[in-house]
Amino acid sequence: MDLLDNLALGFSTAFLVQNVLYCFVGVLLGTAVGVLPGIGPTATVAMLLPITFNFEPVTALIMLAGIYYGAQYGGSTTAILINLPGESSAAVTALDGHEMARQGRAGPALAAAAIGSFFAGTVATVILAVAAPPLADVALKFGPAEYFSLVLLGLIVSIALARGSALKALAMIALGILFGTVGQDIYTGTPRFTFDQRSLYGGIDFVSVAVGLFGVAEILRNLENESTRAAVVSKVRNLWPTRSDRRRIVGPILRGTGLGSALGVLPGGGHVLASFTSYAVEKRVSKRPEEFGRGAIEGVAGPESANNAAAQTSFIPLLTLGLPAHPVMALMVGAFIVHGITPGPNVINDEPALFWGLIASMWIGNVLLVLLNLPLIGMWVQMLRIPYAVLFPMIILFAAIGTYSLNFNAWDVYAIVFFGLLGYILIKCGCEPAPMLLGFVLGPLLEENLRRALIISRGDATVFLTRPISAVLLAVAVAALVVAVLPTIRKRREEVFTEEE
C-alpha cells in the first residue's frame, strides 16, 4: 500500500498544471534541439539547463527530465532521417532506420522507435518506482568509508565501459577531479588553484563546464564538418506500421526493454551498451539476419527500446545513491545542487513530493513524446534544413545568457569559452569529455568522504578495508580496473562499441 500511496502523491504532484506544462515544454524543447544533427541528449540538456534555474525544484527537474527524453527521441529521428545520430546509443538505430528511410519506410521506422520507447519507458518507470525505496534504505546505512569506495567504484566502472582507450578515460577522470578541486578547501578554507582570483574561490561553476564541454565543443565539431551534412529528407508518409511490422517488433521491444532496464544502472556507458547489445541479440535470434543493415525494423525497435529503458533506470543510482550513471545524470546532480537539494537516499524522505513527482512525470513525459512527436514529424524535418551557421550562434547566445543570469558573474561566461575550446581539443585528440564531467561532479564527493572517513578513524587508512561493505566495493573496483586493461577484454570492448557493417 505504501507504494500505491507514494505513486498517488507522485501523480498528484506531476499532474499540477504548471508541472504538466513545463514537462510538455521540456519535451518540445528537447526534441527541437535534439533533432539537430550531431547534438545528443547531453549537449541538449547542458545548453537548456540554465533556463530551469528560476523554477521550483520539482518543476525544474521535471522539465529537465522532459528535455532529456525529448532530446533522446530527437536524436533517433535524426539518425533515421539523415543517418546522423546525435549520440553513440543512436548510432545503432541509424544502421537500419536510415535504410528504411531510403526505401520510403521512414514512417514505420519512426513509429517503431516511438512505440518501443513508450513501452520501455513505462516498464522501466515501474521498475524505478519499485526498486528505488529499498535501495535508498540500504544506502542510508552507508558511512563516509562506504561512500568513498562506492564513488571510486563508479568512476572505475565508467572507465571500463567508456569507448576508446581506457588510459585516456582514466586521464579524463583525473582531469575532471583536478578541476573539481579549484576553490576553497572544504575543511580549512584555504584557496586552491584560484590564481588570486576571488571569482574562483567558490569553485568553477558546473553549468559553465557542462555548456562548454558538451554545447560549445559539439557545435565546433559539427561546424567543422558542415559540408558532410546534406539533408536528404522528404515528406514522411504512412506512419503506422503494417501488420507484419507490428508482429516483428513485439519480441525486440520486450527483449530490448529487459536489457535496457538491467544495463541502465551501470556507470559510464550503460545506455550505450544496452543499444549495441540489443542490436547484437536481435541479429543473433532473428530468422532473417541477412536483413540487418539493410532495413530490418527489428534493428530499430530493439535498440530504441533498450536505450529508453536504460534512460529511465539510470535515475536509480542518482535518486538512491546520489551517483550519476552517465553525463546527463551528472547534469541532473548539478540541477539538484543548484536548487539546494543533495541527491541521495535522503531525498525520498526529505522531499517525497519531488521524488515521486519526478518518477510519475517520467510516464507523463513518455506519453507526451508519442502524442507530440509523430504528428509534428513534418516540423522536425523542416528544422533539419536550417543552416548550422544561423542556428548555433543563437543557441550559444541563449546558453551564455542563462549561465550568466545564475550568478551574474562574467567568469562563468569566460569558463564556457575555456571549456568549449578544451572540449574541442580533447575531441580532436580522441578523448571523450564525458568521463571528465563525471570526475568533475564526483571528485568533490570523493574528496569529502575520503577526508571525513580519515578524520573519524583518526588517520587510520585501513578503515576502508576493515569495514566489510567498503572492502567489497574496493575489491570490485580493483577487479573492474584489471578487467578494463586486459588485452582480450579491451579488444572485446572496442568491438562492442564498433558499428556493425
Side-chain angles (χ1 to χ4, degrees):
M1 289 301 293
D2 285 344
L3 179 60
L4 294 178
D5 292 340
N6 289 328
L7 287 176
L9 171 64
F11 277 104
S12 66
T13 302
F15 274 117
L16 292 175
V17 175
Q18 70 268 26
N19 290 338
V20 173
L21 174 63
Y22 282 112
C23 184
F24 173 81
V25 172
V27 168
L28 182 66
L29 285 176
T31 307
V33 179
V35 79
L36 300 174
I39 299 294
T42 307
T44 303
V45 174
M47 288 187 287
L48 297 179
L49 181 62
I51 68 177
T52 66
F53 290 153
N54 293 322
F55 301 153
E56 289 295 315
V58 64
T59 304
L61 291 167
I62 285 175
M63 184 175 180
L64 279 175
I67 290 171
Y68 178 32
Y69 316 140
Q72 275 206 313
Y73 190 83
S76 66
T77 301
T78 307
I80 290 170
L81 293 179
I82 61 174
N83 199 28
L84 282 172
E87 67 160 358
S88 305
S89 58
V92 194
T93 306
L95 296 177
D96 286 281
H98 186 60
E99 285 300 316
M100 290 181 68
R102 291 179 62 185
Q103 297 164 16
R105 302 191 66 230
L110 291 166
I115 294 168
S117 295
F118 175 74
F119 177 81
T122 301
V123 172
T125 301
V126 173
I127 293 172
L128 172 59
V130 172
L135 190 56
D137 289 339
V138 172
L140 285 172
K141 298 179 173 62
F142 279 28
E146 286 81 7
Y147 258 111
F148 169 80
S149 301
L150 182 66
V151 173
L152 187 64
L153 172 62
L155 289 173
I156 290 177
V157 172
S158 71
I159 294 171
L161 294 179
R163 299 181 68 188
S165 166
L167 184 61
K168 287 182 178 178
L170 179 60
M172 288 301 95
I173 285 178
L175 185 61
I177 293 174
L178 184 64
F179 278 119
T181 62
V182 173
Q184 290 180 298
D185 184 279
I186 54 176
Y187 287 108
T188 66
T190 305
R192 301 183 299 189
F193 306 114
T194 57
F195 304 102
D196 294 327
Q197 298 295 328
R198 290 193 174 275
S199 298
L200 293 177
Y201 275 30
I204 300 173
D205 185 65
F206 168 80
V207 180
S208 302
V209 177
V211 172
L213 279 181
F214 292 98
V216 177
E218 283 295 315
I219 286 172
L220 292 175
R221 183 180 65 82
N222 282 285
L223 287 175
E224 185 181 60
N225 302 316
E226 179 72 31
S227 59
T228 65
R229 290 188 307 273
V232 287
V233 293
S234 57
K235 188 173 178 61
V236 178
R237 300 180 179 85
N238 303 323
L239 276 175
W240 193 245
T242 64
R243 180 178 297 178
S244 172
D245 288 335
R246 294 198 293 273
R247 280 201 306 269
R248 291 176 62 176
I249 65 176
V250 171
I253 287 175
L254 293 175
R255 287 186 289 270
T257 300
L259 278 170
S261 298
L263 296 175
V265 298
L266 295 177
H271 62 306
V272 181
L273 190 63
S275 297
F276 279 82
T277 304
S278 173
Y279 189 85
V281 168
E282 294 310 319
K283 188 172 182 179
R284 187 175 294 272
V285 303
S286 175
K287 297 177 181 178
R288 297 175 286 266
E290 69 281 354
E291 290 186 15
F292 280 74
R294 296 182 174 86
I297 196 168
E298 297 94 333
V300 177
E304 278 299 302
S305 301
N307 187 25
N308 209 57
Q312 308 284 345
T313 56
S314 64
F315 278 88
I316 292 177
L318 171 70
L319 293 175
T320 59
L321 302 172
L323 296 178
H326 54 80
V328 175
M329 292 300 106
L331 294 168
M332 296 293 286
V333 168
F336 271 96
I337 293 171
V338 165
H339 287 285
I341 300 169
T342 302
N346 289 315
V347 172
I348 192 170
N349 297 318
D350 297 345
E351 302 281 351
L354 184 149
F355 183 91
W356 293 103
L358 181 60
I359 290 177
S361 76
M362 294 176 186
W363 184 79
I364 297 172
N366 277 285
V367 172
L368 291 174
L369 267 179
V370 175
L371 297 178
L372 177 70
N373 279 293
L374 292 180
L376 294 181
I377 197 66
M379 186 174 80
W380 309 135
V381 169
Q382 293 304 314
M383 283 195 65
L384 291 173
R385 304 182 189 278
I386 300 175
Y388 273 13
V390 174
L391 195 60
F392 278 176
M394 295 173 59
I395 294 175
I396 292 178
L397 175 64
F398 287 121
I401 292 173
T403 304
Y404 177 77
S405 66
L406 180 61
N407 299 314
F408 296 99
N409 187 347
W411 274 93
D412 292 344
V413 180
Y414 301 152
I416 290 177
V417 177
F418 172 78
F419 283 101
L421 294 174
L422 177 63
Y424 177 71
I425 292 169
L426 292 175
I427 291 170
K428 298 299 289 182
C429 293
C431 299
E432 280 193 279
M436 179 178 159
L437 184 67
L438 289 175
F440 180 79
V441 171
L442 294 178
L445 187 63
L446 190 75
E447 180 193 8
E448 181 181 355
N449 284 289
L450 170 65
R451 295 176 67 176
R452 186 180 296 171
L454 290 175
I455 289 171
I456 292 172
S457 67
R458 298 185 179 182
D460 183 7
T462 60
V463 66
F464 300 105
L465 301 176
T466 55
R467 294 178 68 92
I469 296 177
S470 175
V472 170
L473 292 172
L474 285 178
V476 175
V478 172
L481 187 59
V482 171
V483 166
V485 298
L486 285 176
T488 53
I489 300 295
R490 187 169 65 243
K491 182 179 179 183
R492 179 60 186 155
R493 190 163 120 276
E494 290 168 356
E495 289 173 358
V496 168
F497 288 108
T498 301
E499 289 184 26
E500 295 187 46
E501 296 296 331

